Amino acid sequence: MSTYAAWGPRGRGQSHDVDTVETDVPARLDGWPWSRWHWLVIVALGAVWILDGLEVTIVGTIAAQLEKPSTLGLSPSQLGLAGSIYVAGAVVGALFFGYLTDRFGRKKLFMITLLVYLIATTSSAFSQNFLEFAVARFFTGAGIGGEYSAINSAIDELIPARVRGWVDLAINGSFWIGTAAGAAASLVLLNPAYFAVDTGWRVGFGIGSVLAVGVLLVRQFVPESPRWLQGQGLVDRLYVLPFALGNFLARSCSDDCSTWLDARS
């Protein structure tokens, strides 16, 4: 049984109105046997590292293309500045969305940050000049940075404690899957036999957009973190969690999942 001090039902902002919330839902999640649902969480939340690796590699491989007058005609200094802007966006996004993650919940933010990334990387593909490209790269970085802060929290709070370490290591290491995919894709995207000079690099950014749409659909099945709900005193939503997971959970483990998740027993 875990205990949290949380805001009482009369609202936030009244620092003296504090309730104590006790529940064993987080403990039961930690004791839940590994199942297909955990793989769903890993795929839905861990894909951000693959997207980041893909972004970094795609930009690196298409840099020479972007200097050509038939594309954006960027100078070497502009290319370097665009890279710096991407990193700056990631830092700002991590700080800004990290704060919002603690305030408004993990699920809301890991959906919003992925949408920011999706819109921004799609905008990168349709950029017509350096200013448009730089703005798109900033918000792409902000989306990725926000993903890092929201996703790490969600993974740590949804994955059982006994395997949390190697899961974090494996997910963070998937960055290199993205770099390998980006390098392989560049062999086709930059080949004039397959794509025109001003088309291949745009398709490269489009790949990230397509992957993001798929991840966005999968993330709808990932619940809010029970530890965040507990810390906020949202007891009603916390008790609904076991039932919201529904039949999918029952099919995902060898035992009856309600035995592990029923907060009222």
Side-chain angles (χ1 to χ4, degrees), residues 189-245:
L189 298 174
L190 301 183
N191 190 332
Y194 300 108
F195 293 98
V197 173
D198 193 39
T199 302
W201 68 272
R202 298 183 188 275
V203 174
F205 288 119
I207 293 174
S209 300
V210 172
L211 292 176
V213 170
V215 174
L216 196 63
L217 295 176
V218 175
R219 283 188 181 178
Q220 298 180 67
F221 300 100
V222 178
E224 180 58 87
S225 164
R227 290 177 174 84
W228 183 83
L229 293 174
Q230 184 179 6
Q232 298 297 309
L234 301 174
V235 181
D236 292 339
R237 289 179 60 189
L238 183 64
Y239 286 152
V240 167
L241 177 62
F243 307 100
L245 299 182

Side-chain angles (χ1 to χ4, degrees), residues 162-179:
R162 65 184 183 279
V163 293
R164 195 171 295 149
W166 72 261
V167 169
D168 276 341
L169 181 62
I171 289 176
N172 282 271
S174 65
F175 173 90
W176 302 108
I177 297 177
T179 61

Side-chain angles (χ1 to χ4, degrees), residues 36-46 154-155 158-159 171 222-223:
R36 284 181 294 161
W37 182 76
H38 292 104
W39 287 112
L40 171 69
V41 171
I42 289 176
V43 171
L45 302 184
I155 289 174
L158 290 172
I159 297 298
I171 289 176
V222 178

